[in-house]
Amino acid sequence: MRLIVTALTFLIGLFLILLGIAYLVQPDTVAAGVGLRPLDNQGFSTLRGDVFAFFTITGFCTVWGAWQRKGDLLLVPAIVMILVILGRIVSLAMDGTYDGFLVPVLAEAVIAGIVLWARILLPHHHLDEVGD
């Protein structure tokens, strides 16, 4: 079971890295798929800088944690996905829903769940020891 969860975690990380690279090289195409449209060069810069970095570092921590069997690294992507879900809930409360709202929320919840499951299965420090 640990091998399957570790492999899934690794694949999730690769997907996130590839998504980050897609925002770097084709920001307008990828962003359009999630309802974003850069208005000018500042928008392209934000997609290529911020969104690329977000997905790439999240994916890198996921891949590295799975590859090295270090559950502590998996806290980063898990917390990131939980914060994304929190942001979506705030957006739901402030802006309302849209067609397909649950799809990304469920995807992020599944990612967070698998990554947290891998963290539990892989060697890690207890939370009170993290940072020591």
Side-chain angles (χ1 to χ4, degrees):
M1 181 59 72
R2 185 172 95 170
L3 179 63
I4 293 169
V5 174
T6 302
L8 274 175
T9 302
F10 186 87
L11 291 174
I12 287 168
L14 284 180
F15 169 75
L16 293 171
I17 290 169
L18 290 174
L19 189 56
I21 292 169
Y23 273 102
L24 183 66
V25 297
Q26 291 185 316
D28 49 344
T29 305
V30 181
V34 294
L36 295 174
R37 186 178 17 199
L39 300 176
D40 54 19
N41 287 343
Q42 181 181 7
F44 281 106
S45 177
T46 299
L47 290 173
R48 282 192 171 111
D50 298 350
V51 181
F52 162 72
F54 170 84
F55 283 112
T56 303
I57 196 65
T58 302
F60 179 78
C61 287
T62 307
V63 165
W64 194 250
W67 184 261
Q68 294 293 315
R69 311 294 190 266
K70 294 188 179 195
D72 291 337
L73 284 171
L74 299 176
L75 279 177
V76 173
I79 291 170
V80 166
M81 289 298 138
I82 291 167
L83 289 175
V84 170
I85 294 168
L86 178 62
R88 291 189 188 278
I89 292 169
V90 169
S91 183
L92 176 64
M94 296 179 75
D95 308 318
T97 190
Y98 58 87
D99 289 338
F101 174 81
L102 284 178
V103 173
V105 174
L106 292 175
E108 291 143 3
V110 167
I111 289 171
I114 291 171
V115 171
L116 284 172
W117 189 12
R119 184 191 185 276
I120 290 167
L121 294 176
L122 296 174
H124 63 278
H125 293 88
H126 293 281
L127 284 179
D128 58 348
E129 297 172 341
V130 173
D132 289 342

